[in-house]
Amino acid sequence: MRTTAALLLATGLLAGCAASAPDAAPGLDATADVVSTVSKDESVAALLPPEVRQSGVLTFGSSVGGTPPNAFYLPDNRTIVGLDIDIADAVGRVLGVRIDRQEAAFETILPALRSGKFQVGTGNFGVTEERKQTIDFVTYIDDGQGFAVRQDSDLAPVTDLVQLCGRIIGTGSGTTFEATLNANVHRCAETGRPPYQIQVYSEQSALYSALHQGRIDVLMSTINGLRHATRLQPNLRFLNEFRRLDVGFALPKGSPLCPALQAAVNKLIADGTYQRILRKWGTEPSAIPSSQINPPEHS
């Protein structure tokens, strides 16, 4: 579990001042209720497998170790809030089921889906062709990969990863960022330049601390997460978007839940709840026109 203390440490170090509680960025209210008015849609609920309709429960494996706005703890260290949380809870209301949310480390969720421990996974999982070989996705936002640096960095916006040759890059464990960096590091040698080094962190607090302390030169993470963090942390600068990716609920391959989840997301888009959730978290640019099951990976 990511503790409030760890979150406070990351915020305080980067700001160069006394730590403040993790929260939504200025102008956003992390506790605003945008879900409780959502009601069950019988036609959408009818798409659920009979055993789920009978139990009335969906088991979610959820990563809560990320930074706002996806999923994080309020200062009481018990209340989980975030974009992923609101969307999942709203989907549960449309389907008329209770979300049994079980916190899990990001890198353990996809294997746990394949083993049957969870029915659905959330954690800002980007849709990739590699992941689709063993996992099904039902999309609900469009986020992707971006970079952030310290305010005093001389690094220009990254349009090609060879710009990072010779640098030290920090990123999250088991992420599309790590996979992208590993797949391209050989290009440095091909251009006669020293390779970039990849430092992988399981805790976001450690990742941000490493950037502040100069142990890494640049941080690669989600576009929405980095934009949110730079609103809170004056010593952090969002460098640029690198690549967009659809993000979705992750499910075991061949899961019969996919049509019901897709219909529920589309119901939320149609009735305006979806837009209210994204507005709450300042992520309107990540809106999708409709949910898809296993769309092609963005090129």
Side-chain angles (χ1 to χ4, degrees):
M1 178 182 296
R2 187 183 186 197
T3 66
T4 298
L7 280 160
L8 298 180
L9 175 64
T11 302
L13 285 173
L14 277 168
C17 59
S20 58
D23 206 344
L28 304 179
D29 181 0
T31 61
D33 179 9
V34 290
V35 172
S36 65
T37 59
V38 177
S39 58
K40 181 178 180 180
D41 185 306
E42 295 291 349
S43 63
V44 176
L47 298 173
L48 287 168
E51 62 273 17
V52 176
R53 292 202 305 272
Q54 182 175 3
S55 70
V57 178
L58 279 178
T59 303
F60 274 54
S62 298
S63 170
V64 191
T67 52
N70 295 320
F72 62 104
Y73 282 96
L74 290 181
D76 64 10
N77 206 30
R78 294 188 303 272
T79 306
I80 302 172
V81 296
L83 174 68
D84 284 352
I85 306 304
D86 283 341
I87 289 181
D89 287 349
V91 162
R93 286 178 172 271
V94 171
L95 295 172
V97 298
R98 177 175 64 84
I99 303 298
D100 175 15
R101 183 174 289 110
Q102 300 181 20
E103 185 181 347
F106 176 89
E107 62 271 21
T108 69
I109 292 176
L110 298 187
L113 289 170
R114 293 191 288 268
S115 72
K117 181 177 181 179
F118 305 128
Q119 293 168 291
V120 185
T122 60
N124 207 66
F125 288 107
V127 179
T128 68
E129 296 304 321
E130 180 179 2
R131 283 176 172 170
K132 286 196 300 179
Q133 294 178 25
T134 56
I135 295 291
D136 282 339
F137 291 94
V138 177
T139 62
Y140 57 86
I141 58 167
D142 176 59
D143 194 352
Q145 303 175 338
F147 293 98
V149 293
R150 295 182 302 278
Q151 283 287 2
D152 61 359
S153 173
D154 64 350
L155 187 63
V158 178
T159 57
D160 190 318
L161 292 178
V162 296
Q163 293 171 243
L164 299 174
C165 295
R167 308 259 186 171
I168 304 175
I169 310 160
T171 196
S173 175
T175 60
T176 61
F177 321 113
E178 182 186 10
T180 296
L181 292 169
N182 283 328
N184 286 275
V185 67
H186 67 91
R187 297 177 56 216
C188 292
E190 293 170 358
T191 58
R193 304 174 68 180
Y196 50 72
Q197 298 179 47
I198 307 165
Q199 296 289 334
V200 178
Y201 297 84
S202 295
E203 290 286 343
Q204 287 288 310
S205 58
L207 179 57
Y208 281 101
S209 295
L211 181 64
H212 172 74
Q213 295 168 1
R215 289 183 283 114
I216 60 176
D217 300 309
V218 58
L219 187 157
M220 189 178 190
S221 190
T222 67
I223 293 168
N224 286 338
L226 292 176
R227 286 193 184 280
H228 197 104
T230 55
R231 298 188 192 111
L232 291 166
Q233 302 169 10
N235 198 37
L236 183 68
R237 175 163 58 91
F238 182 78
L239 192 61
N240 67 292
E241 293 186 11
F242 180 69
R243 181 187 179 211
R244 281 277 173 177
L245 280 174
D246 285 317
V247 170
F249 295 114
L251 302 97
K253 199 68 183 175
S255 172
L257 291 169
C258 289
L261 291 178
Q262 179 191 32
V265 174
N266 284 331
K267 168 71 175 178
L268 296 171
I269 293 172
D271 70 15
T273 302
Y274 176 78
Q275 290 77 11
R276 288 192 294 274
I277 293 172
L278 266 60
R279 191 178 310 121
K280 169 183 174 178
W281 295 108
T283 56
E284 295 98 320
S286 283
I288 57 173
S290 62
S291 176
Q292 299 181 67
I293 297 173
N294 294 329
E297 180 179 353
H298 285 316
S299 58

